[in-house]
Amino acid sequence: MSDSPGADASHNVIARPTGKGRFQAAIDVRGGTIIADEPVEAGGLGSGPTPYELLASALAACTAMTLRLYAERKGWTLPAYSVAAAHSIVAAGESGTPPRDLFTRNIAFEGPLEGEMEAKLLSVADKCPVHRTLMRGFEIRTNIGTVMPPLTPEPAQQHECDMEAACDD
């Protein structure tokens, strides 16, 4: 991530093509700019994560944050851990079911977990706000024109509040 001014104070995320390669886009976010691209084998420059990798990274980051918050609340000392996530598409079924998106998430601990920690942490992972957003679906409203209307993103503290709620037993 580069050190640009990033998105405006309302926390909108803004993407613009960079003009480099076929796909590269600069995404202004609070705190800086992220470069997104497609892999070289797909005709991109390979200069950044793909849009699906960014979506998977939101799931991985939210899961890692929510697990840490839960462990902190419980007074648990967890071994070091990482959360990996990947997106794929499950092909259409022979019975006519449409293709669907699949996110696979792996949580790897560098040491053993005590007692019932594993089952509880798995349950908490499934309650992280991004996991819930992906599972319940969503609506996308698109505007087009020469003037960008103001957007109303969630309040800055909303994600933290949602993570706190996910940690409630």
Side-chain angles (χ1 to χ4, degrees), residues 20-50:
K20 298 176 184 172
R22 294 177 65 205
F23 302 109
Q24 191 185 78
I27 306 166
D28 292 334
V29 296
R30 185 169 22 110
T33 300
I34 300 169
I35 297 296
D37 200 358
E38 291 292 332
V40 172
E41 56 271 20
L45 300 173
S47 60
T50 68

Side-chain angles (χ1 to χ4, degrees), residues 1 5 34 41 49 70 78 98-99 104 116 134 137 158:
M1 194 155 81
I34 300 169
E41 56 271 20
Y70 182 79
L78 296 178
T104 305
E116 297 178 8
L134 292 170
Q158 188 62 49

Side-chain angles (χ1 to χ4, degrees), residues 33-148:
T33 300
I34 300 169
I35 297 296
D37 200 358
E38 291 292 332
V40 172
E41 56 271 20
L45 300 173
S47 60
T50 68
Y52 279 117
E53 289 169 337
L54 290 168
L55 194 54
S57 71
L59 176 62
C62 184
T63 301
M65 292 174 182
T66 304
L67 293 179
R68 180 169 184 217
L69 184 62
Y70 182 79
E72 184 180 278
R73 240 189 209 196
K74 290 292 197 182
W76 293 352
T77 301
L78 296 178
Y81 65 94
S82 60
V83 180
H87 171 266
S88 61
I89 297 180
V90 177
E94 289 186 24
S95 63
T97 58
R100 62 187 187 85
D101 295 277
L102 171 67
F103 286 88
T104 305
R105 176 177 53 191
N106 294 325
I107 304 168
F109 289 91
E110 293 181 15
L113 296 173
E114 298 175 12
E116 297 178 8
M117 281 183 169
E118 185 175 321
K120 189 58 188 170
L121 291 171
L122 185 57
S123 172
V124 169
D126 287 347
K127 294 178 187 175
C128 93
V130 171
H131 178 107
R132 286 186 168 184
T133 297
L134 292 170
M135 293 305 294
R136 74 175 163 243
F138 36 85
E139 178 181 344
I140 298 173
R141 296 180 183 169
T142 304
N143 302 304
I144 192 166
T146 57
V147 176
M148 191 175 294

